[in-house]
Amino acid sequence: MPRSEHFIHDIWVVLQQLGDTHLPTLLMGVAAFAIMWGLRKYVPKLPGVLVAVVLTTLVSWAIGFEGMGGKVVGAIPAGLRASRCPASTGASPSSSWRVR
């Protein structure tokens, strides 16, 4: 939804769309926040965000989240992309930089 000039109006529009909420996605998000909060409170040395991402990813795979209408990234290509140097314009850096 596009933003309006009034914050209260934006909140009202969001509240009107609550019925369209995808409940499995909401539950995954709430679970991720709960994991991060619990780890910060009880095991602060663990990387909470990383643990939450790993756990919710595993749960997503185990329950077939994509089949429930959830959005999943899909296949991630293996390997690194080939690196290249940018093409030269022929101008030297000193000719395009001027001190005023």
Side-chain angles (χ1 to χ4, degrees):
M1 85 171 205
R3 293 184 66 174
S4 71
E5 294 182 19
H6 304 286
F7 177 72
I8 298 297
H9 178 264
D10 293 343
I11 296 297
W12 178 248
V13 172
V14 168
L15 290 174
Q16 288 177 324
Q17 296 176 2
L18 280 179
D20 297 334
T21 301
H22 186 250
L23 291 179
T25 300
L26 177 63
L27 292 174
M28 290 290 264
V30 169
F33 276 110
I35 291 166
M36 290 184 285
W37 176 81
L39 289 176
R40 177 183 276 184
K41 183 170 177 81
Y42 298 109
V43 194
K45 292 189 182 230
L46 285 179
V49 174
L50 179 61
V51 172
V53 167
V54 169
L55 289 177
T56 54
T57 300
L58 290 173
V59 168
S60 170
W61 171 76
I63 67 172
F65 185 68
E66 188 172 15
M68 303 165 94
K71 301 287 185 196
V72 179
V73 173
I76 299 173
L80 298 174
R81 294 180 65 179
S83 61
R84 304 186 317 232
C85 292
S88 173
T89 60
S92 67
S94 61
S95 67
S96 60
W97 297 347
R98 301 188 191 276
V99 177
R100 293 180 188 219

